[in-house]
Amino acid sequence: MFNIGTDIVFIPKIKKILTDSSFLNRVFHEDERTPFTAEHLAGIYAAKEAFFKALGKDPSWLSVHIKGKAPQCVLTPQLAQKIKHTSLSISHDKEYAIAQVLVEL
Amino acid sequence: MNTILELIDSLKEKEGIALTSFNGYRHFHYTYQELYDLASRTAALLDHIGINKKDVVLIWGPNQPEWVAAFLACIIRGAIAVPIDVHNKPDFVEKVQKQTKAKLLITNTPLSQIKSLSLNNLFYALQFPPSQPRECFEKDIVEILYTSGTTGEPKGVALSHKNFCASLLALQMLIKPEKHTVLSVLPLSHIFEQVIGLLLPLQFGARIIYLPSLKPSLLLDSIRKERVTILLLMPRMMELLLVELQCSPLYSFYSLTKTGKLLLAPSLHFIVVGGAPLDNELERAWEKLGFEVLQGYGMTETTALLTCLLPEVHVHNSVGKAVPGVELKVENDEIVVRGDNVFTAYYRNKQKTSAAFSKGWFKTGDMGECDSAGFIYIKGRKKDMIKTSSGFTIYPEDIEAVLKKCSGVRDACVIGIPTRKGEKVHAVLLLENGNPEEVIAEANKQLDEIQKITDYSLWPDRDFPRTPLQKVKKNVVLGIVLGITPKRIAKTQRERLPPLKATIAQLTTKNILPNAQLRDLDFSSLDRVELATRLEQEFLTDVDENELRPETTVADVEKLILKGIREREVHVRRWTRWSIIRLIRVVIQHFLYIVTALLCRRVVKGRENVSGIRGPVIFIANHASHLDTPVLLMSLPFSLREKITPAAWEEYFFEERKEWYWKVYQLFAYNFTTIFWNAFMFPQTKGFRKALRYAGELVDDGWSILVFPEGARTTTGKLLPFKEGIGFLAKELKIPIVPIKLEGLLPILPRGKIIPSPGKVMVKIGKPLSFTTESVVEITKYIEDALKRL
């Protein structure tokens, strides 16, 4: 079975929270923060949100790790058990970042 | 002492703990020898990266031991450090990099344009042997500090070894060198903290404590627990702490009898205040509680202290006398200074540098007077002075002081609005149930004719924009006020917002009513995550952001927080760690072990893997039966076994059950496991962070932890997927993980069975695993694989 999730993020909003370390620690793993730009973080955030929408669950931000230039989701064993495959795509345009996730259960 | 290098060199001879840092969960300690070693190795790392003498290194991060090591390493290497405040945005860092041609950025938030080195993971990257320090001279630049500046573009102040040594020398004559414990809330990127909060304590062999947040309750707690002797604050923090103290019902008692300090912080010698002018009322309030306050006046350009007012000396309104080595006089009403601690130039800014000096004296930009005894009084900043149309010069600080005393005023900022003929005195108010017209009238009654406020506006946000040291950014205020029509702004005066409303107010401009839904307040999903984060910080309780949905109302949020606060420490039993309980437990446990031994014929492999362990570790094992814990404990050497706290699934004991026998069983089981097995509650659905905090407390105390990462007992014998809680534990507590595999327990006492049947059991103890920079997800996976392989 295939499920899809998508999310769009207004980048200036992320820009405002860039320096709030508790927010960063709550949502992003350390190496997801490189490069430390609002655009990049907005994309990662959108990807995670999209992922959980595809699963139909509430976000548990640090259970997913978005890695790589062609971004991929790395999951905790609990999550990985239920999911056969994930496919992710992120895009940016001026003030918006958008992500789409396809999940095969 | 001629150079800071001599100070760094002396570190390796000193004894005791230099730095203690608390990461929110557990404490990390670094002795003087360790600090010296870390700094030297970091210097070697810098060398390896290609940092040479006089190269610029940016350090952009919060107060933590790694920051100190990086800073000292730059000095050892002869490089120029440029500390940047955490609150500065990436564009500022880029600007600085372009100006200084910095070769490296040490930070937790790397930028792609500059070569970056991770601050948090610094200590994991030190594979090189310690580096020998390079020769350095008095005149060499130690660092360039960009002043936060309440007006205009920041300037880079270049400070040399001579400057620092002069400043430290003066301080050593004023403060007795004892075994101090210093706690500071000031950022290391500020000169005040660097000199008084870092270098001076290191010189004295004191212990410095770093906390992860400035929450007043955390501060007060730490002062007591760590027996802090010197507290460094800026005036704003003194205000916030005072408000926190005033919440206590005993406050008036403390104040009348001067016993506040004695009862709340008996270890404290004195409070050092600097960074901004200290209000008299504030100082008096603290003195009435019995605290001794040491005030300092100085600035980045003067390597911190120019004058100092010692606690015993009560001269009101004065900032004290000049410190040894500083010459000070008043010229044209302005305070000018000379001394070895005064900087020589602004970085790459000849114009501003020559403008700042007059015949060899540095113009501080502060207007003041000096009395016959040598006490200095500050009237105000030159830049903030308002020149009215009638040609008079007034100091906004005086007017602000009057305004702040008026009822209904939370804070006030007075600026000069330029007109064709001069400046108008304009008050920007932050009100709390105050009527602006009445407030202005009341203030004007107390002010001189020339000082009277001509118009006012209400500040639309919860607070004024402030610098990292909490000084109001008046140029920003002016800019915004100019864009708004004076007198009334669209918003009506804000009533005093209780903390919940205030936290929500930071994220929306709409009216916050109890039945307003978050979606009505224009909360996007991102806003909800931010709200959860802020609520957690404000109320010190775990907030599940998934409870904050678009349809959640403000009243619901309030209920959520109250529930969190009530549940905060409901299921924590510290007394089970008391020695007398431990004694009883050891005896009872051995009886239980005998029973277990009868049921299970054990073979233990791999005991040698844990024989060398000193200090707490996390044991993890697969979970099949209730007998797992006793079997596992029996298989470990006594020294380890006695100091283990197993993590028990909280929901098992506290989940709502209808049947009465279940309830009785739960009560019995809870007491049995906590008292006889010394278990602690580890929730799986929520409140995870509080369990993590307690785990940190256990580790600080030397206790190891036993966790079953599957979370539940397997019924099939196959390993259930690990919950990621174990990854967090490993990452935050930073102690080794010992995997243990238990085979054969499933047939003996599986889930559901009550009477066990004897059988054979194999206990395989694995080698300890250590992690450094891996992520939570990766760690969980490694541990799972390690257990599978056993």
Side-chain angles (χ1 to χ4, degrees), chain A residues 13 22 26 36 61 65 67, chain B residues 110 527 537 543 545 775 778:
Chain A
K13 238 185 187 147
S22 357
R26 193 194 188 92
F36 190 65
W61 306 105
H65 194 150
K67 270 188 145 179
Chain B
D527 290 324
Q537 288 177 305
V543 175
E545 72 207 39
S775 75
E778 286 168 339

Side-chain angles (χ1 to χ4, degrees), chain A residues 13-19 22-23 26-27 29-30 33-36 45 49 58-63 65 67 74-78 81, chain B residues 86 89 109-112 120-121 524-527 529-530 532-533 536-537 543 545-546 549 721-724 728 775-778 780 784:
Chain A
K13 238 185 187 147
I14 290 264
K15 221 179 176 142
K16 286 207 293 184
I17 353 175
L18 265 191
T19 44
S22 357
F23 174 79
R26 193 194 188 92
V27 177
H29 290 282
E30 280 219 28
R33 303 182 205 178
T34 314
F36 190 65
Y45 180 89
E49 182 85 38
D58 288 330
S60 160
W61 306 105
L62 297 175
S63 332
H65 194 150
K67 270 188 145 179
V74 178
L75 310 168
T76 54
Q78 274 241 306
Q81 197 205 23
Chain B
V86 212
K89 302 275 171 171
T109 48
L111 304 178
S112 46
N120 275 334
N121 296 331
S524 68
S525 75
L526 188 59
D527 290 324
V529 180
E530 232 209 301
T533 315
E536 277 194 1
Q537 288 177 305
V543 175
E545 72 207 39
N546 300 314
R549 296 165 200 288
F722 282 10
K723 296 194 179 258
E724 65 259 10
F728 276 107
S775 75
V776 169
V777 177
E778 286 168 339
T780 311
E784 195 184 44

Side-chain angles (χ1 to χ4, degrees), chain B residues 278-295:
Chain B
L278 178 63
D279 181 53
N280 253 318
E281 297 276 327
L282 189 54
E283 189 194 350
R284 246 176 280 159
W286 279 89
E287 284 178 343
K288 279 217 303 230
L289 289 170
F291 289 91
E292 292 199 353
V293 179
L294 192 158
Q295 270 186 76

Side-chain angles (χ1 to χ4, degrees), chain B residues 363-380:
Chain B
K363 297 190 280 186
T364 61
D366 288 317
M367 313 307 278
E369 326 180 302
C370 181
D371 72 9
S372 46
F375 286 97
I376 312 293
Y377 302 85
I378 307 238
K379 289 200 275 189

Side-chain angles (χ1 to χ4, degrees), chain A:
Chain A
M1 185 167 89
F2 288 96
N3 280 352
I4 191 169
T6 186
D7 190 55
I8 185 167
V9 173
F10 186 52
I11 299 177
K13 238 185 187 147
I14 290 264
K15 221 179 176 142
K16 286 207 293 184
I17 353 175
L18 265 191
T19 44
D20 182 354
S21 57
S22 357
F23 174 79
L24 292 178
N25 290 333
R26 193 194 188 92
V27 177
F28 303 103
H29 290 282
E30 280 219 28
D31 55 7
E32 284 172 338
R33 303 182 205 178
T34 314
F36 190 65
T37 61
E39 290 77 20
H40 176 82
L41 290 175
I44 303 280
Y45 180 89
K48 293 192 175 195
E49 182 85 38
F51 174 76
F52 286 103
K53 279 194 196 170
L55 281 189
K57 282 185 171 210
D58 288 330
S60 160
W61 306 105
L62 297 175
S63 332
V64 188
H65 194 150
I66 311 283
K67 270 188 145 179
K69 282 242 149 125
Q72 288 182 332
C73 306
V74 178
L75 310 168
T76 54
Q78 274 241 306
L79 277 179
Q81 197 205 23
K82 305 188 191 130
I83 300 170
K84 287 214 196 101
H85 187 70
T86 62
S87 199
L88 163 66
S89 177
I90 306 178
S91 179
H92 302 85
D93 189 1
K94 289 217 193 71
E95 304 190 303
Y96 289 92
I98 185 170
Q100 284 222 333
V101 172
L102 185 67
V103 155
E104 183 183 356
L105 297 170

